[in-house]
Amino acid sequence: DRKIFNWRNISRLPHDEYGVYSIWSRSICIYIGQAKRQCVKDRLLQHYAGSHNSYLSLWINSSHVLWFSVEFLKNSAAIDAKERINIKNCAPLTNIRLVR
């Protein structure tokens, strides 16, 4: 279930859920990330306010309509595994960390 990447939709996420998230432009995966030390909501709000990834920031600040999706997971091993699988399968354009 994808939602438009904006403050209102992100702020509606639960504040106590962790997992893997992805950011999309149409059918192109832009970024995949994980939230296991802080909740998904806080992590996405950080990206929205100004990402540490300069390539992702360019997309967020562009005129492109972006979407996000979230998969909530309970344990950190599952979060790590799911992020690796999603990066391998989707080949996001702005992920800096390469998965071997």
Side-chain angles (χ1 to χ4, degrees):
D1 184 33
R2 292 187 189 166
K3 297 185 182 333
I4 292 179
F5 185 79
N6 61 28
W7 186 87
R8 185 173 56 135
N9 286 336
I10 296 168
S11 66
R12 290 180 175 165
L13 292 171
H15 66 277
D16 58 353
E17 293 284 342
Y18 303 86
V20 176
Y21 57 90
S22 55
I23 301 173
W24 299 80
S25 174
R26 296 184 184 182
S27 63
I28 300 168
C29 185
I30 304 302
Y31 186 80
I32 293 174
Q34 62 169 266
K36 62 182 183 180
R37 292 184 185 92
Q38 63 189 131
C39 68
V40 171
K41 175 182 177 176
D42 290 347
R43 193 72 190 101
L44 284 170
L45 285 172
Q46 281 180 341
H47 286 305
Y48 186 78
S51 178
H52 68 286
N53 179 325
S54 59
Y55 299 113
L56 178 56
S57 287
L58 288 172
W59 278 94
I60 291 170
N61 295 322
S62 75
S63 60
H64 292 273
V65 175
L66 300 181
W67 302 80
F68 73 95
S69 59
V70 176
E71 185 173 351
F72 297 116
L73 300 162
K74 295 296 179 194
N75 78 40
S76 63
I79 291 170
D80 286 336
K82 188 64 175 175
E83 182 193 34
R84 278 193 308 276
I85 291 166
N86 287 357
I87 289 172
K88 184 177 179 182
N89 291 340
C90 298
L93 296 178
T94 65
N95 276 74
I96 294 169
R97 188 168 78 184
L98 298 175
V99 175
R100 298 169 222 196

